């Protein structure tokens, strides 16, 4: 082979590698590159051990007896997966119904904007994002409503990522993030004009505890909307296939046990909320929310090869391959949950804190 052919072949390989890593590598929002994957706040040498501990704890979610440890393992989970989520999915760690003619990004944004429209807040009012992740929904909601959004996440690494993204988007005057447990929020009573949670409260061992905290920090008369992960009326606990699907979702998403759709409104009323509206946003005429997961299978294999190579070279932490494989298997269970109709990640409940609560009228 002559020198020109060698040069052309080398240039082609180099260009292909650059395209594979740097063009395909970043997430939709260009938040992360494959070569920057980390274990969040976990040091590189401890990622494998932390993954093994996580997997051991959540192997049988329904059998978890030490529920007080769940927040710590949820924190570990998000240290392990945040960079991979940003790289392979985007800055909004949730699903949305597919919309014909709209990109996944636009469908996601509209799903987020609907949440703030439902709680009817005005420009300049202060609202709470319960379980904000790296702040994708927060930024969309702040830009749409011009409300001041305060997010809370248990994961310190996500706090830093969210603040970085807020500043880059020019929304840091509207968006703030604090590190904390949404079961014990560091906010005074009656301090928010509205609140929302998008696929976040599923991590709470007891939904009543997080709903009670949201109720406490809301001003009387304010609204709260939540998109909940639940089993539907099609779920049959005696069907072994159904059980396997739901356990697969729980194990791979740090869930201490999925709740039934029938429990959500009852729990909200128990802590004092008035239930204004409740419906599954995944039901027809909504288009399947799991379409994006099925379309991403080729991207997964591309990404998995890349993660394996980066881990072998010592660029990505040891254990990243196991985390990525876990997420792929979980995506398969989520798809099956959607296709069978036994699971929905967007059971919407809209609640109001009464103008007068029993404690305030006594």
């Amino acid at each position: 082979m002559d020198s020109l052919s060698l040069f052309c072949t080398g240039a082609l390989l180099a260009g292909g590698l650059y395209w594979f890593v740097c063009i395909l590598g970043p997430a939709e929002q260009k938040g992360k590159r494959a070569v920057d994957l980390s274990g969040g706040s976990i040091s590189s040498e401890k990622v494998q051990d932390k993954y093994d501990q996580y997997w051991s704890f959540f192997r049988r979610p329904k059998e978890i007896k030490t529920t007080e440890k769940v927040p710590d393992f949820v924190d570990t989970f998000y240290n392990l997966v945040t960079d991979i989520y940003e790289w392979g999915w985007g800055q909004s760690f949730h699903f949305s119904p597919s919309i014909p003619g709209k990109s996944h990004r636009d469908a996601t944004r509209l799903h987020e904007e609907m949440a703030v429209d439902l709680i009817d807040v005005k420009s300049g009012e202060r609202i709470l994002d319960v379980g904000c992740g790296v702040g994708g929904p927060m930024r969309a909601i702040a830009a749409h409503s011009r409300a001041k959004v305060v997010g809370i996440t248990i994961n310190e690494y996500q706090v830093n990522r969210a603040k970085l993204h807020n500043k880059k988007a020019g929304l840091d005057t509207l968006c703030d993030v604090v590190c904390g447990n949404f079961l014990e929020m560091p906010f005074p009573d009656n301090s928010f004009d509205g609140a929302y949670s998008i696929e976040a409260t599923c991590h709470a061992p007891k939904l009543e505890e997080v709903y009670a905290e949201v109720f406490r920090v809301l001003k009387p008369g304010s609204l709260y909307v939540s998109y909940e992960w639940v089993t539907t009326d099609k779920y049959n606990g005696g069907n072994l296939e159904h059980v396997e699907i739901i356990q697969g979702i729980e194990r791979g998403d740090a869930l201490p046990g999925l709740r039934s759709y029938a429990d959500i409104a009852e729990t909200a009323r128990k802590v004092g909320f008035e239930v204004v509206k409740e419906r599954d946003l995944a039901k027809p005429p909504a288009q399947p929310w799991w379409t994006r997961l099925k379309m991403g299978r080729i991207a997964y294999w591309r990404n998995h090869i890349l993660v394996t190579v980066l881990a072998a070279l010592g660029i990505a932490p040891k254990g990243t391959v196991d985390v990525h494989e876990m997420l792929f298997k979980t995506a398969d269970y989520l798809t099956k949950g959607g296709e069978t109709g036994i699971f929905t990640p967007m059971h919407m409940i809209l609640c109001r804190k009464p103008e007068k609560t029993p404690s305030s009228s006594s």
Side-chain angles (χ1 to χ4, degrees), residues 202-246:
C202 49
H203 292 299
K206 294 180 181 178
L207 187 63
E208 180 181 346
E209 293 180 355
V210 62
Y211 276 13
E213 273 294 271
V214 175
F215 185 88
R216 178 183 67 80
V217 301
L218 276 180
K219 295 177 182 178
S222 298
L223 293 166
Y224 166 57
V225 66
S226 185
Y227 297 168
E228 295 287 347
W229 281 33
V230 296
T231 55
T232 71
D233 56 354
K234 293 183 179 181
Y235 175 69
N236 177 3
N239 184 313
L240 294 181
E241 181 186 5
H242 287 190
V243 172
E244 180 187 358
I245 290 170
I246 295 305

Side-chain angles (χ1 to χ4, degrees), residues 4 15 61 81-82 91-92 119 121 130 161 173 228 241-242 258 274 280 285 302 311 314 358:
L4 180 59
V81 306
T82 290
Q91 295 172 15
S92 295
I119 60 175
V121 295
V130 184
R161 294 293 298 167
T173 57
E228 295 287 347
E241 181 186 5
H242 287 190
L258 275 168
E274 298 170 352
D280 183 0
R302 176 205 73 202

Side-chain angles (χ1 to χ4, degrees), residues 12 53 57 108 119 124 158 186 192 246 250 254 301 314 347 352:
L12 185 63
Q53 292 169 21
F57 185 79
T108 296
I119 60 175
Q158 289 189 335
F192 288 96
I246 295 305
E250 292 167 341
W301 287 112
H347 182 90
R352 177 181 285 109

Side-chain angles (χ1 to χ4, degrees), residues 23-323:
I23 305 301
L24 286 179
E28 293 177 68
Q29 305 279 355
K30 301 296 185 290
K32 266 287 174 182
R33 296 187 308 155
V35 293
D36 296 326
L37 294 178
S38 73
S41 298
I42 300 171
S43 59
S44 295
E45 66 272 12
K46 293 183 178 179
V47 168
Q48 184 70 61
D49 287 344
K50 288 293 185 181
Y51 167 77
D52 292 341
Q53 292 169 21
Y54 165 83
W55 188 249
S56 177
F57 185 79
F58 276 103
R59 186 171 54 230
R60 295 184 180 88
K62 296 289 187 186
E63 298 176 17
I64 293 174
K65 293 182 173 60
T66 52
T67 55
E68 67 274 8
K69 293 183 179 179
V70 168
D72 288 340
F73 277 99
V74 170
D75 182 31
T76 295
F77 174 77
Y78 279 111
N79 275 321
L80 294 171
V81 306
T82 290
D83 280 356
I84 295 176
Y85 277 1
E86 275 202 65
W87 171 53
W89 190 262
Q91 295 172 15
S92 295
F93 299 173
H94 65 82
F95 298 105
S96 59
S98 299
I99 302 176
K102 297 285 187 182
S103 67
H104 293 307
R105 190 185 302 182
D106 285 341
T108 296
R109 175 180 52 79
L110 291 169
H111 194 56
E112 293 162 351
E113 291 175 356
M114 181 173 66
V116 74
D117 289 342
L118 283 166
I119 60 175
D120 193 29
V121 295
K122 300 176 180 62
S123 174
E125 289 189 323
R126 188 168 179 258
I127 61 176
L128 176 64
D129 183 330
V130 184
C132 65
V134 298
M138 169 193 299
R139 287 181 289 280
I141 283 170
H144 175 67
S145 67
R146 307 311 294 178
K148 295 180 178 179
V149 188
V150 178
I152 184 170
T153 171
I154 200 168
N155 185 261
E156 186 178 2
Y157 182 70
Q158 289 189 335
V159 171
N160 295 331
R161 294 293 298 167
K163 288 186 174 182
L164 177 66
H165 290 313
N166 291 346
K167 189 171 184 178
K168 283 184 177 179
L171 292 167
D172 48 324
T173 57
L174 289 178
C175 300
D176 192 19
V177 189
V178 300
C179 189
N181 186 344
F182 58 30
L183 301 178
E184 299 174 307
M185 291 194 277
F187 307 121
D189 297 356
N190 309 316
S191 54
F192 288 96
D193 299 297
Y196 65 88
S197 51
I198 299 180
E199 303 182 27
T201 58
C202 49
H203 292 299
K206 294 180 181 178
L207 187 63
E208 180 181 346
E209 293 180 355
V210 62
Y211 276 13
E213 273 294 271
V214 175
F215 185 88
R216 178 183 67 80
V217 301
L218 276 180
K219 295 177 182 178
S222 298
L223 293 166
Y224 166 57
V225 66
S226 185
Y227 297 168
E228 295 287 347
W229 281 33
V230 296
T231 55
T232 71
D233 56 354
K234 293 183 179 181
Y235 175 69
N236 177 3
N239 184 313
L240 294 181
E241 181 186 5
H242 287 190
V243 172
E244 180 187 358
I245 290 170
I246 295 305
Q247 286 186 345
I249 293 171
E250 292 167 341
R251 280 195 303 268
D253 283 299
L255 307 180
L258 275 168
R259 287 170 269 273
S260 166
Y261 77 101
D263 298 333
I264 306 305
E266 180 184 352
T267 302
R269 293 189 181 100
K270 189 175 180 180
V271 304
F273 278 120
E274 298 170 352
V275 177
V276 178
K277 190 183 297 184
E278 183 184 22
R279 69 186 178 96
D280 183 0
L281 300 177
K283 286 187 175 181
Q287 298 295 306
W289 55 266
W290 61 90
T291 302
R292 186 178 174 194
L293 289 172
K294 295 184 74 172
M295 291 173 61
R297 293 182 73 88
I298 294 175
Y300 161 77
W301 287 112
R302 176 205 73 202
N303 290 353
H304 198 63
I305 291 168
L306 185 53
V307 167
T308 303
V309 171
L310 292 173
L313 294 174
I315 297 172
K318 183 182 177 183
T320 306
V321 176
D322 287 340
V323 175

